[in-house]
Each structure stands twice: as structure tokens, then as C-alpha cells.
Amino acid sequence: MKKHSGIGVLVLALFLAACGGSPGTSPTGTSPTSAGAAPSSSAPASSAPAGSAELKTAGSSAGDIVVAANGMSVYFFTKDVKDSGKSACEGACTALWPAVTTTSDSPAVEGVGGTIGTIPTADGKKQVTINGMPVYFFAQDTAAGDVKGQGYGNVWYLVSPSGDMIKQDSGMGY
């Protein structure tokens, strides 16, 4: 049997704990999936060209979802508490799940239902919220339409055009 370094296992456990755990909200939908491997890519940009929608809808392998202006999928984190005014994704979690940010107090949307707003981030930016829940990118989504974060750790889920959490299995094996 192969032995693993105790330090390596501890670091991995701490990293995964920062991005998973027990839910803080009660999402809608069915059939969550299991956790996946840690990513190695950087986070996508979240800025939109002036005068365009910062969030819109698009088709994906998981159905119609909310995406940023650059086409990158956005996600909810079940550990966030609706209308709390803050994100539960902190520390190492923010590298894997960067906030969808804006410069506007009222981000422009196209085809996205629900109440759109912002909350302050730890570094003074404005994180976009849908129905009182912060939204995030997934660092492993490297191209428009990627949905690799769907069901990650059983706590990260795509956002539907109506502003609800999509909890069905994406078939991605995470």
C-alpha cells in the first residue's frame, strides 16, 4: 500500500474544506453530484463592455443558464445566506471561485429574472447578487459555455434564467 505525505493530505483537506461543506441555504432542484478535482487554471475576467448586459442567458449542456457578458457560467454557493450582504467564500475559496464583480450599483441584465443587486467584497469591489445570493465564476471553466463547476462539492450550482439554483446532475461526473 502506498503511503501519502501527511502534510500533503492536510493541505488538500484544508483547501477542499474552504470550498465545500454543509449548506447554508436550501437550494431548489434535485440530484446533487459529487466533488471534483482541484483546478489549475486562472479565473476568467468579469468586466463587461460599457452599455452591455453584465449578465445574460445562454444554452449549455446543463440547459439554459445565466452567464456573464463574456459567456462564462455563473454559480451559486449553498453556504451563502440569502440577503446576508456577504459572501461565505473566503480565503483559498476565492481563488477557485472568484466573485462576479461589477462597477455598477445596478448591474445590467438581459433575460435574467429575479432581483439583481450587489454586496461588498473583502477587497472593496462590488459582487453581483441574484435574489440576494452572491454569484461566482469557477476557475476550471476556461471557455464560454463550460459548466465544470456544476455540483462541485455538492455546494456549487449553476443559476437558471429565473434566478434559481439548478441542482440537477450535469452529467459531468463531479
Side-chain angles (χ1 to χ4, degrees), residues 2-174:
K2 189 176 185 180
K3 289 191 175 185
H4 295 283
S5 165
I7 293 173
V9 171
L10 178 62
V11 170
L12 178 61
L14 289 173
F15 180 77
L16 291 175
C19 296
S22 63
T25 61
S26 180
T28 60
T30 59
S31 187
T33 56
S34 61
S40 60
S41 63
S42 63
S46 62
S47 61
S52 69
E54 294 185 63
L55 295 177
K56 58 186 180 177
T57 61
S60 75
S61 61
D64 289 341
I65 60 171
V66 175
V67 298
N70 59 6
M72 300 304 288
S73 302
V74 300
Y75 299 86
F76 283 134
F77 184 30
T78 62
K79 289 181 78 173
D80 284 324
V81 176
K82 182 179 174 146
D83 296 323
S84 69
K86 64 180 189 170
S87 168
C89 181
E90 300 172 328
C93 179
T94 62
L96 188 59
W97 298 95
V100 176
T101 59
T102 183
T103 57
S104 173
D105 288 330
S106 301
V109 298
E110 187 176 297
V112 180
T115 304
I116 308 300
T118 64
I119 60 171
T121 63
D123 60 359
K125 296 178 182 175
K126 296 176 187 176
Q127 183 171 8
V128 177
T129 62
I130 300 175
N131 292 329
M133 294 285 288
V135 292
Y136 307 84
F137 293 112
F138 181 47
Q140 276 192 346
D141 286 350
T142 57
D146 282 355
V147 293
K148 296 174 184 172
Q150 175 64 357
Y152 189 95
N154 296 320
V155 293
W156 293 95
Y157 297 97
L158 292 162
V159 181
S160 76
S162 64
D164 294 320
M165 196 173 295
I166 302 172
K167 283 209 61 185
Q168 69 239 29
D169 187 346
S170 67
M172 301 306 290
Y174 294 103

